[in-house]
Amino acid sequence: MEKSKNSNLELLKKNFEENCVEIFPSNIDEIEAFQKKYDVEISEDLYDYYLEINGSGNDTLNNLYEFYSISNTKKINEELINFRGIPGSGSKLGGNVK
């Protein structure tokens, strides 16, 4: 299992390199502060990801997707605090924005 986990991180690092995305690893203090702030325990594989890669620094890979750093990871209600629905629709998920 350990070998597979490391090879997955290596593949991800290679993808970052191929897309000219710089890696800014996190540190144990930042990860522990995150866990304390949100009262969660991060899985071992995500912990390793943050320690070794920690997001794509607002760059997209293959012009399609971005990996968030631990500092950009938030609770849904924090991320969507100003969300008032989709304009022109009648529901919360697509509610009228006034």
Side-chain angles (χ1 to χ4, degrees):
M1 184 74 163
E2 184 70 30
K3 184 176 182 177
S4 173
K5 180 172 51 172
N6 288 337
S7 64
N8 288 336
L9 284 173
E10 290 306 316
L11 286 171
L12 189 54
K13 284 180 185 180
K14 182 178 178 187
N15 192 333
F16 275 46
E17 188 177 291
E18 290 170 354
N19 283 273
C20 301
V21 173
E22 197 167 346
I23 293 174
F24 299 97
S26 185
N27 59 60
I28 293 170
D29 292 337
E30 184 177 28
I31 296 168
E32 288 179 354
F34 177 89
Q35 291 181 121
K36 184 175 182 181
K37 176 180 180 180
Y38 292 110
D39 192 27
V40 296
E41 185 175 332
I42 294 174
S43 65
E44 186 178 338
D45 57 342
L46 187 57
Y47 200 99
D48 291 341
Y49 161 79
Y50 285 134
L51 282 177
E52 293 189 35
I53 297 174
N54 194 33
S56 58
N58 297 324
D59 289 328
T60 58
L61 284 84
N62 304 320
N63 292 317
L64 296 173
Y65 51 91
E66 173 186 346
F67 284 84
Y68 276 11
S69 67
I70 195 165
S71 63
N72 286 351
T73 305
K74 302 175 186 168
K75 293 172 96 175
I76 292 172
N77 64 343
E78 289 176 325
E79 182 68 24
L80 301 177
I81 194 164
N82 295 315
F83 181 74
R84 301 288 180 255
I86 300 168
S89 180
S91 71
K92 271 283 190 191
L93 290 178
N96 291 323
V97 177
K98 307 219 186 242

